[in-house]
Amino acid sequence: MTNTFLRRLSLPAALAVLTVAASAFATGTAHAAEPGGPCDPRVSRTGLYEVSTAVVEPVLTHWKGITIAPGTTGSVETTVTEVQNVSTTFNASTEINAEAGAFFAKVSIKVGFSVQTSKSTTSTWSQKVTYNVNRPGDYMVFKGTHRIQGKADEYVCVNRPWSDPGDGYWAYAFGSHPTYSTFDAEMEGIVSCDTPVNPGTIQELARNLLVCH
């Protein structure tokens, strides 16, 4: 059996593509803003977003195919090539403000693991990978992550009828569905043709790049 090296900061190894529905959570702002909750239109009329959809999928960001010759097994370091970049975006912007950051915190709750909540990109990851092998053969060295994409529901602060100017509530903004993208922690490893992998995982994507007979 091939010796594999896998390092994970968060999330179980086998996570298939999934879609989750909307739910309301506190924004983490100074007051517990929530749909239908109180707000002051004189202070802020926009900025409350809830998760509408969240789709999770494995993504390979860096990889390199290598051949280990007899007599060269053990600890080896190599440089992997970036093949795909994943970034945090909100409404097509990579500049993540406080409201968008609070929204990404809700995404973390929704999918059950931590995602990026500020301006971030996988291009900043180190391209050096150290791994261990105990026999010659063909291998795929990789880095990857899970990309989370979906839509948000927007709420705006409006005045209650016949009320004071500061007496408002968060009302659903019909037709406003900003899109977003983010990702979770880095995963790196090495696989060969006989490495067991779970369907729908980063490891499977990496092994599929090998020519296995």
Side-chain angles (χ1 to χ4, degrees), residues 30-106:
H31 54 84
E34 60 182 12
C39 60
D40 187 343
R42 299 169 302 179
V43 177
S44 176
R45 297 193 64 87
T46 62
L48 176 59
Y49 301 96
E50 299 296 327
V51 182
S52 176
T53 61
V55 178
V56 183
E57 59 182 342
V59 176
L60 276 178
T61 58
H62 304 74
W63 63 270
K64 182 181 181 180
I66 60 171
T67 298
I68 301 299
T72 60
T73 57
S75 179
V76 183
E77 182 182 78
T78 192
T79 299
V80 290
T81 302
E82 180 183 350
V83 293
Q84 186 168 182
N85 173 39
V86 183
S87 300
T88 49
T89 63
F90 189 81
N91 211 17
S93 174
T94 59
E95 297 301 320
I96 307 302
N97 58 23
E99 288 78 13
F103 170 78
F104 285 128
K106 299 176 186 180

Side-chain angles (χ1 to χ4, degrees), residues 1-7 74 129-135 138-142 187-197 203 207 210:
M1 179 65 65
T2 303
N3 178 35
T4 60
F5 167 75
L6 295 175
R7 176 164 61 85
V129 178
T130 302
Y131 54 89
N132 290 279
V133 294
N134 60 7
R135 70 177 183 181
D138 294 325
Y139 296 86
M140 184 61 63
V141 184
F142 67 90
M187 182 182 198
E188 67 177 37
I190 180 172
V191 294
S192 66
C193 286
D194 59 357
T195 300
V197 296
Q203 296 96 317
R207 196 183 67 174
L210 286 167

Side-chain angles (χ1 to χ4, degrees), residues 131-180:
Y131 54 89
N132 290 279
V133 294
N134 60 7
R135 70 177 183 181
D138 294 325
Y139 296 86
M140 184 61 63
V141 184
F142 67 90
K143 285 178 179 282
T145 188
H146 289 86
R147 177 168 51 203
I148 303 93
Q149 298 181 105
K151 292 182 179 180
D153 289 331
E154 183 178 6
Y155 291 79
V156 294
C157 184
V158 298
N159 267 111
R160 301 181 190 277
W162 307 289
S163 65
D164 294 333
D167 182 16
Y169 69 99
W170 289 106
Y172 179 65
F174 289 95
S176 180
H177 298 286
T179 58
Y180 71 91

